[in-house]
Amino acid sequence: QSLAELEVLCNHLYEGTDVAQRMQAEKVLLELIESPECLSQCQLLLEQGATSYAQLLSATCLSKLVSRASPLPVEQRIDIRNYILNYVASQPKLAPFVIQALIQVIAKITKSGWFEVLKDQLIFRDIIADVKTFLQGTVDHCIIGIMILSELTQEMNLVDCSRSSAKHRKVATSFRDTSLKEILMLACSLLKELLAKPLTLQDQQQQRLAMQLLKLVLNCLNFDFIGNSADESADDLCIVQIPTNWRTIFLEPETLDLFFDLYHSLPPMLSQLALSCLVQFASTRRSLFNNPERAKYLGNLIKGVKQILENPQGLSDPGNYHEFCRFLARLKTNYQLGELVMLKDYPEVIQLMANFTITSLQHWQFAPNSVHYLLTLWQRMVASVPFVKTAEPHLLDTYAPEITKAYITSRLECVPAVIRDGLEDPLDDSATVFLQLEQLCTVSRCEYEKTCMLLVQLFDQNAQNYQKLLNSPSRNPLEITVQEGRLAWLVYFVGTCVGGRLTYTSTDEHDAMDGELSCRVFQLMSLMDAQLPQSTNEKVELAILWFLDQFWITYMGEQLQHTSKVYARMSEVLGITDANRLLETFMTKIVTNLKYQGRCEPVISRTLQLLNDLSVGYPFYCIWQNILLKRLVKTEAVKFMLQNHTSKHFPFLGVSDNYRLSDLRCRTVFYSALTRLLMVDLGEDEDEFENFMLPLTVSFESVTQMLNSSFEQEEAKRMLIGLARDLRGIAFALNTKTSYTMLFDWIYPAYISVLQRAIELWYREPACTTPILKLMAEFMQNRSQRLNFDVSSPNGILLFREASKMICTYGNQILSLGTLSKDQVYPLQLKGISICYSALKSALCGNYVSFGVFKLYGDNHFDNVLQAFVKMLLSVSHSDLLQYRKLSQSYYPLLECLTQGHMSFITSLEPRVLIYILTSISEGLTAVDTVVSFSCCASLDYIVTYLFKHLAKEGKKTLRNRDVSLDGQRLLHFMQHNPEILQQVSSSL
């Protein structure tokens, strides 16, 4: 292509807004990379391109070229590397993104050729010598040299999923042992030189050099030294495994002083990088030092913390503030409280840290994501108190209550600002709130009396104000909403304190205080319920459910056999004397929510989760679960639900247009919990089961009539979606043969034909087909051997025939849709296919059907479903098989079942299908998902074992083994004509 054509390609790739033009440009780019003229075209762009985008395109092509699985010849890679080094050296004023892209090419070449030898030399390891040449030039050349080392360090640390992890680890380990320490020492020495000169904040070159040096140090300290990098999300648990031969660097006090000085000297954009380096220094593994060395190192860290807190101006920058909070959290993660209290500066520093935390909590809008690290610090400090053996005071009994008070009051004070000014409400981010409350629960238990007094005072004050507002003739809605917001926070805090009993040493007096606090929540709950259905507040309701969950986990299990001081005050005020009365209160609240909160999906969802937890006895042991369930079913609320589970009493079970189809998902959880409660005393009482199923029977009869009427199709569809979700919940909870047989007798044959009809009618609508297919998949699960019917029962075969019909119907219909767009292919096709595969896998592995019977009696249902499996499989590309996790996790285990017990079917497949399957195994072997890779290994084992046994039999010329099976011959014949397939699989292994 000409230079002009290449530059047009650049414009379409990087500046164009037309999606079609960009896709075409990407296609041309791929063709360019594969063409023999790729290198000459890249050189043309670099030397004659009129724009930076032309140079970027060249760098992109080179990066992809050197990253291919089949590498370029070593001489060619040397030429490319040397050309780029000379190019960036001759043009240091290139756009930064172009330099970065070209340097990435150098890093990739260096990593891939790290062990390659040419003329008895490791020719790609002289990169540091090349960089030192850059360091002798101008400031721009120095910056480029540092960028090369930084990018190389990062590339060496980066796991390439397309390559062997063992090879990556070998390269990374060699780089660590031969080069990384030298790179770190070089960066530190250059930083010392930079700091020794007068720093001019307006000098952009100087700032860029400082930034690149700090990034280089950070990349060195972030290196995965021993190949076990923690998940990045687990930031507070990271320990840096510094090599032992680096001790001298870390034992020198000047090393830490350098980075603290850099923090104080540099502008915020750069000083936060210095703090990031200090975070890693604070996370250095303890075993690097002996006890005196560790105490000295910790003393230097604490001295630096003290200096920062005494001069907090830099912390007004959000980046600095966030990194400093991380720094404080890492200190406690890596060092023990007993070591901290021994330090001379500890009393001053703990006071400074407490004041800093209190100020941070009061400014709740400033860097809210950093609060997590401060709470982590105090949580770990307080949790360590019982293990401190030294005589020096830890002072946490003074400061922890102040931290708790600051958090509580700051959250209450934010409510008016959120509601009146329309600011973002912290309560809307429930994940963050729950994480912070989990941390606060430990802190709040330190000097618990002070926490309880504060909460009682604030709760009484706000509850009285709320009642005044409700009784006021004017009823100011804004003020009521503010007060409800405050009460929601207070309920969360009470739940947190109650839940903290499990994390901290508790006494009878503490239990009595929990009772005092809990009384107020139960009273508020009654007050809120009394206003239903006229008014409600979602945030208060969710907070009450959080409290009930915490109280349930903390006190209910233990109180099934014991009494507790928590009931003393609750008995006086509420008449709740024991666990039985408390269970009645819980269940009454659940029923009230399900009756009146039907239009509030978050409240219904959380209420059903609580009901589900109660029905399974979570989190208690088996004996307590049984006792709990027997007491639960005796409550009036449970009896009411078992007898009245209709939309008349629980509106969320309705199917009107006012409810979205996605809202119907909660019905599965409801019926799953309800069926568990039914099972407690059901035994073999079929009449009671029929009574329980009566509302569903009525609904199915209605649907049957509607399907025969063309005017009510939409209502029938909504009813059927709800019924499928209900039945799936019921089937999930029936884990005994007796109870499952009752359900099967109820649904077969009358109602299962309705489900088949729905698949035929609405196969284009995944909102309808997905719940029905999931129901069938649940029916096929032989959990707890519930499908092992009596020997005289044909139920197993009958069930499989119905599943076969449904899978075949769905498969044939869904394939008739033709080619689908990328955004439609999963919801309309692949999701349903994955559920069908899950159902078929459950049937094949369930051991409740003798599949040989089908062929023996001329029944084609088994053959039909296997053919449907093949048709659906061939409609899916290999990339989609691995790209969509649910699909891969259903296909590969199904393939394992087929290769284990149905090799005669596998060998009968056409060559193109066998090639597809074996290729999918080869690609799945390298999958990150262990479900996929394990199933691939097992499938491959079954296939080659079958082949080996066939070859062994063929080699024996005895009369008995003369007639070799046709199945084995077919497979052997296929392998002989396609030898590259097993070679590819072996290569993958």
Side-chain angles (χ1 to χ4, degrees):
Q1 293 176 329
S2 68
L3 180 62
E5 288 174 323
L6 289 171
E7 290 190 331
V8 169
L9 177 65
C10 294
N11 292 334
H12 289 165
L13 272 174
Y14 302 119
E15 294 183 307
T17 56
D18 188 298
V19 176
Q21 282 185 340
R22 182 175 297 174
M23 290 178 68
Q24 180 61 28
E26 289 173 356
K27 185 179 177 183
V28 174
L29 174 62
L30 292 174
E31 292 172 358
L32 175 62
I33 294 166
E34 295 298 327
S35 71
E37 295 81 20
C38 180
L39 285 175
S40 59
Q41 300 270 283
C42 290
Q43 189 174 355
L44 179 69
L45 281 169
L46 285 173
E47 293 177 356
Q48 299 182 32
T51 67
S52 296
Y53 288 130
Q55 296 154 346
L56 179 61
L57 176 62
S58 175
T60 304
C61 289
L62 289 171
S63 180
K64 292 184 181 297
L65 192 63
V66 301
S67 302
R68 290 193 306 194
S70 53
L72 296 171
V74 64
E75 294 84 358
Q76 208 165 27
R77 280 179 282 149
I78 292 172
D79 290 342
I80 294 172
R81 187 195 67 165
N82 293 340
Y83 177 84
I84 294 175
L85 285 171
N86 292 326
Y87 183 80
V88 295
S90 63
Q91 301 194 51
K93 297 292 186 182
L94 287 169
F97 61 84
V98 174
I99 293 178
Q100 186 71 38
L102 289 168
I103 286 173
Q104 282 176 355
V105 178
I106 296 174
K108 288 178 185 294
I109 291 174
T110 305
K111 181 179 179 179
S112 64
W114 189 252
F115 288 111
E116 292 196 35
V117 177
L118 186 68
K119 296 179 182 178
D120 298 326
Q121 283 190 322
L122 293 161
I123 36 85
F124 288 109
R125 295 200 188 183
D126 55 357
I127 192 72
I128 295 180
D130 294 329
V131 166
K132 286 181 178 177
T133 307
F134 277 89
L135 297 179
Q136 294 167 5
T138 64
V139 176
D140 285 328
H141 285 105
C142 287
I143 291 170
I144 291 173
I146 298 303
M147 286 175 70
I148 291 172
L149 290 179
S150 186
E151 187 62 40
L152 177 61
T153 306
Q154 202 164 2
E155 180 66 29
M156 289 292 187
N157 204 30
L158 193 66
V159 180
D160 185 352
C161 294
S162 65
R163 298 180 186 273
S164 162
S165 59
K167 183 179 179 182
H168 158 76
R169 195 64 232 147
K170 189 178 178 183
V171 172
T173 303
S174 174
F175 177 74
R176 177 199 69 193
D177 295 340
T178 59
S179 306
L180 195 57
K181 182 182 178 183
E182 184 182 355
I183 292 173
L184 177 64
M185 293 173 67
L186 175 64
C188 288
S189 66
L190 290 172
L191 281 170
K192 286 177 185 175
E193 290 178 19
L194 187 70
L195 194 60
K197 302 173 186 175
L199 286 174
T200 309
L201 298 183
Q202 286 73 32
D203 189 339
Q204 293 297 318
Q205 281 189 323
Q206 203 174 37
Q207 285 198 26
R208 284 181 61 209
L209 179 59
M211 176 186 290
Q212 294 302 331
L213 284 168
L214 285 168
K215 284 183 176 179
L216 175 56
V217 172
L218 190 57
N219 284 340
C220 290
L221 296 175
N222 277 330
F223 198 81
D224 183 8
F225 294 100
I226 60 173
N228 70 338
S229 274
D231 181 359
E232 288 181 4
S233 62
D235 185 83
D236 56 327
L237 298 174
C238 186
I239 301 298
V240 182
Q241 301 290 342
I242 297 295
T244 305
N245 65 347
W246 291 24
R247 283 181 80 248
T248 51
I249 302 174
F250 284 73
L251 288 175
E252 294 173 1
E254 294 81 7
T255 304
L256 285 179
D257 292 344
L258 170 65
F259 289 92
F260 280 116
D261 291 343
L262 285 166
Y263 164 75
H264 291 293
S265 306
L266 295 172
M269 184 177 69
L270 302 177
S271 58
Q272 73 182 63
L273 283 172
L275 277 176
S276 297
C277 294
L278 286 166
V279 170
Q280 296 303 98
F281 278 112
S283 308
T284 303
R285 63 183 174 96
R286 295 168 52 83
S287 55
L288 188 67
F289 313 107
N290 59 35
N291 286 344
E293 290 169 346
R294 190 182 308 118
K296 185 179 178 182
Y297 187 76
L298 177 60
N300 290 332
L301 287 169
I302 291 297
K303 183 180 75 173
V305 170
K306 182 182 175 186
Q307 290 172 352
I308 292 174
L309 289 172
E310 286 175 341
N311 302 280
Q313 298 84 356
L315 297 177
S316 59
D317 175 74
N320 279 344
Y321 172 80
H322 182 76
E323 291 302 318
F324 184 66
C325 291
R326 289 181 65 224
F327 180 39
L328 293 178
R330 290 285 182 93
L331 277 176
K332 182 58 197 76
T333 300
N334 209 19
Y335 294 94
Q336 299 168 3
L337 181 59
E339 293 172 322
L340 288 166
V341 299
M342 296 293 290
L343 299 173
K344 183 182 70 173
D345 292 334
Y346 176 77
E348 295 175 64
V349 171
I350 194 73
Q351 183 180 10
L352 288 168
M353 284 162 58
N355 292 338
F356 171 71
T357 305
I358 290 167
T359 304
S360 299
L361 293 173
Q362 288 170 345
H363 295 82
W364 57 275
Q365 280 183 280
F366 181 79
N369 294 331
S370 308
V371 171
H372 160 76
Y373 297 107
L374 293 176
L375 292 177
T376 297
L377 166 71
W378 291 99
Q379 177 195 25
R380 292 179 182 276
M381 296 271 273
V382 172
S384 302
V385 168
F387 308 104
V388 177
K389 306 300 181 187
T390 58
E392 283 76 6
H394 52 69
L395 303 177
L396 290 174
D397 48 359
T398 301
Y399 297 115
E402 293 182 18
I403 304 300
T404 304
K405 180 179 179 181
Y407 187 88
I408 291 171
T409 53
S410 67
R411 269 42 192 175
L412 295 183
E413 288 165 4
C414 83
V415 175
V418 166
I419 292 171
R420 289 172 184 152
D421 302 336
L423 301 177
E424 187 176 349
D425 191 346
L427 278 178
D428 290 338
D429 185 1
S430 58
T432 301
V433 170
F434 291 157
L435 182 61
Q436 292 180 0
L437 292 177
E438 187 180 331
Q439 295 167 317
L440 185 71
C441 75
T442 304
V443 184
S444 67
R445 281 271 165 176
C446 186
E447 296 295 306
Y448 191 46
E449 296 82 358
K450 295 179 182 177
T451 302
C452 287
M453 286 174 59
L454 173 67
L455 283 175
V456 166
Q457 176 190 345
L458 290 171
F459 210 114
D460 289 347
Q461 175 187 334
N462 283 278
Q464 288 170 10
N465 291 341
Y466 183 56
Q467 284 188 305
K468 287 178 183 176
L469 288 169
L470 291 179
N471 297 329
S472 169
S474 58
R475 283 181 71 97
N476 186 331
L478 187 66
E479 289 300 323
I480 289 176
T481 306
V482 169
Q483 213 57 49
E484 287 174 340
R486 285 177 170 154
L487 286 169
W489 274 111
L490 286 166
V491 173
Y492 276 120
F493 294 140
V494 173
T496 300
C497 290
V498 170
R501 182 180 187 271
L502 301 176
T503 66
Y504 206 80
T505 306
S506 188
T507 63
D508 284 348
E509 289 73 21
H510 290 174
D511 289 355
M513 293 177 203
D514 284 348
E516 191 75 39
L517 291 171
S518 300
C519 277
R520 286 159 171 77
V521 179
F522 283 116
Q523 287 175 312
L524 176 64
M525 186 172 79
S526 300
L527 179 62
M528 298 300 295
D529 289 348
Q531 299 177 60
L532 292 170
Q534 285 78 18
S535 67
T536 184
N537 184 286
E538 179 184 318
K539 290 185 169 62
V540 177
E541 292 296 339
L542 290 172
I544 289 172
L545 289 167
W546 157 265
F547 161 77
L548 293 177
D549 191 58
Q550 296 299 303
F551 193 95
W552 149 253
I553 292 172
T554 305
Y555 283 106
M556 292 291 285
E558 183 180 328
Q559 300 318 311
L560 291 170
Q561 296 180 339
H562 302 88
T563 56
S564 169
K565 294 287 185 182
V566 76
Y567 289 105
R569 183 63 176 157
M570 289 168 63
S571 175
E572 293 174 20
V573 178
L574 306 170
I576 299 176
T577 55
D578 56 22
N580 290 338
R581 297 295 299 274
L582 197 59
L583 280 175
E584 187 72 61
T585 305
F586 270 58
M587 296 310 301
T588 302
K589 175 58 180 172
I590 288 171
V591 170
T592 301
N593 280 2
L594 296 180
K595 273 187 174 183
Y596 299 112
Q597 301 281 359
R599 297 192 182 281
C600 186
E601 195 275 334
V603 173
I604 286 291
S605 178
R606 191 66 198 86
T607 302
L608 288 173
Q609 187 58 55
L610 178 61
L611 175 62
N612 190 63
D613 289 346
L614 286 164
S615 71
V616 297
Y618 172 83
F620 307 121
Y621 297 114
C622 186
I623 185 169
W624 283 356
Q625 289 173 358
N626 294 335
I627 296 171
L628 171 70
L629 290 174
K630 287 187 178 297
R631 294 187 180 185
L632 267 177
V633 296
K634 291 177 182 176
T635 61
E636 293 301 317
V638 170
K639 291 177 182 176
F640 176 83
M641 281 195 292
L642 289 172
Q643 295 167 8
N644 299 281
H645 48 97
T646 63
S647 58
K648 176 183 176 183
H649 299 282
F650 302 113
F652 77 96
L653 295 176
V655 291
S656 68
D657 293 338
N658 295 328
Y659 292 94
R660 297 170 300 172
L661 291 176
S662 59
D663 292 342
L664 303 178
R665 291 175 184 168
C666 60
R667 294 169 61 150
T668 304
V669 180
F670 175 71
Y671 271 98
S672 180
L674 211 55
T675 306
R676 284 193 203 97
L677 296 172
L678 172 73
M679 291 293 297
V680 174
D681 293 326
L682 180 66
E684 299 182 7
D685 192 338
E686 294 183 10
D687 291 338
E688 186 176 346
F689 183 80
E690 287 288 340
N691 288 334
F692 175 74
M693 298 297 289
L694 190 58
L696 283 80
T697 305
V698 172
S699 297
F700 255 117
E701 294 295 339
S702 299
V703 169
T704 305
Q705 293 174 11
M706 289 177 188
L707 287 176
N708 297 324
S709 167
S710 58
F711 301 105
E712 298 176 318
Q713 297 278 309
E714 191 62 32
E715 186 179 354
K717 180 171 56 176
R718 293 181 71 88
M719 285 185 71
L720 204 54
I721 293 169
L723 282 168
R725 295 194 183 281
D726 299 344
L727 284 170
R728 183 173 164 226
I730 293 171
F732 181 78
L734 297 178
N735 288 329
T736 65
K737 183 168 72 172
T738 303
S739 58
Y740 183 88
T741 303
M742 290 183 194
L743 178 62
F744 182 82
D745 292 341
W746 178 85
I747 199 171
Y748 182 86
Y751 302 139
I752 207 160
S753 60
V754 178
L755 301 177
Q756 301 279 13
R757 175 82 173 125
I759 292 290
E760 293 173 13
L761 283 174
W762 298 305
Y763 65 91
R764 293 173 178 269
E765 302 182 43
C768 180
T769 57
T770 297
I772 295 174
L773 291 172
K774 283 186 174 180
L775 169 61
M776 183 55 73
E778 178 57 42
F779 269 129
M780 307 303 286
Q781 289 270 4
N782 193 14
R783 199 166 37 249
S784 303
Q785 306 301 306
R786 63 183 186 173
L787 269 70
N788 287 2
F789 299 107
D790 295 335
V791 291
S792 60
S793 171
N795 287 355
I797 291 174
L798 294 174
L799 177 61
F800 180 80
R801 285 167 54 134
E802 294 300 328
S804 171
K805 287 180 196 173
M806 185 174 290
I807 292 171
C808 291
T809 301
Y810 179 77
N812 291 330
Q813 298 278 39
I814 210 69
L815 296 179
S816 69
L817 294 177
T819 305
L820 298 170
S821 62
K822 189 70 176 173
D823 60 328
Q824 287 185 313
V825 69
Y826 182 74
L828 286 181
Q829 187 179 55
L830 299 183
K831 186 174 184 178
I833 290 175
S834 70
I835 301 169
C836 290
Y837 283 0
S838 295
L840 185 53
K841 182 258 178 186
S842 298
L844 293 178
C845 299
N847 293 323
Y848 56 89
V849 181
S850 175
F851 293 101
V853 169
F854 290 93
K855 187 174 182 181
L856 186 64
Y857 290 99
D859 189 324
N860 59 4
H861 283 89
F862 183 50
D863 289 337
N864 289 347
V865 79
L866 292 180
Q867 292 306 318
F869 155 73
V870 172
K871 288 179 185 176
M872 289 189 283
L873 180 61
L874 294 178
S875 71
V876 181
S877 67
H878 281 119
S879 59
D880 285 346
L881 268 183
L882 289 169
Q883 183 179 349
Y884 296 99
R885 187 166 176 263
K886 288 184 178 179
L887 179 60
S888 60
Q889 288 195 340
S890 59
Y891 163 68
Y892 284 102
L894 170 58
L895 184 60
E896 181 184 345
C897 289
L898 287 168
T899 53
Q900 181 182 16
H902 304 277
M903 274 303 297
S904 58
F905 163 70
I906 297 291
T907 59
S908 69
L909 294 171
E910 297 176 24
R912 66 188 182 97
V913 182
L914 268 176
I915 290 172
Y916 183 100
I917 288 174
L918 290 169
T919 304
S920 72
I921 290 175
S922 178
E923 293 181 354
L925 285 168
T926 57
V928 177
D929 190 335
T930 53
V931 172
V932 173
S933 56
F934 281 24
S935 291
C936 286
C937 290
S939 301
L940 185 60
D941 184 25
Y942 292 132
I943 291 170
V944 295
T945 299
Y946 181 86
L947 195 59
F948 175 79
K949 286 182 177 179
H950 169 76
L951 287 168
K953 286 180 182 179
E954 193 180 48
K956 296 175 182 177
K957 299 300 183 181
T958 62
L959 184 64
R960 188 162 157 262
N961 290 323
R962 189 172 54 196
D963 297 327
V964 181
S965 72
L966 290 174
D967 295 339
Q969 285 182 339
R970 276 197 299 267
L971 184 60
L972 181 60
H973 184 71
F974 169 80
M975 291 299 183
Q976 288 170 340
H977 281 76
N978 300 276
E980 73 283 353
I981 293 180
L982 276 184
Q983 290 168 10
Q984 176 59 44
V985 172
S986 299
S987 175
S988 297
L989 283 172

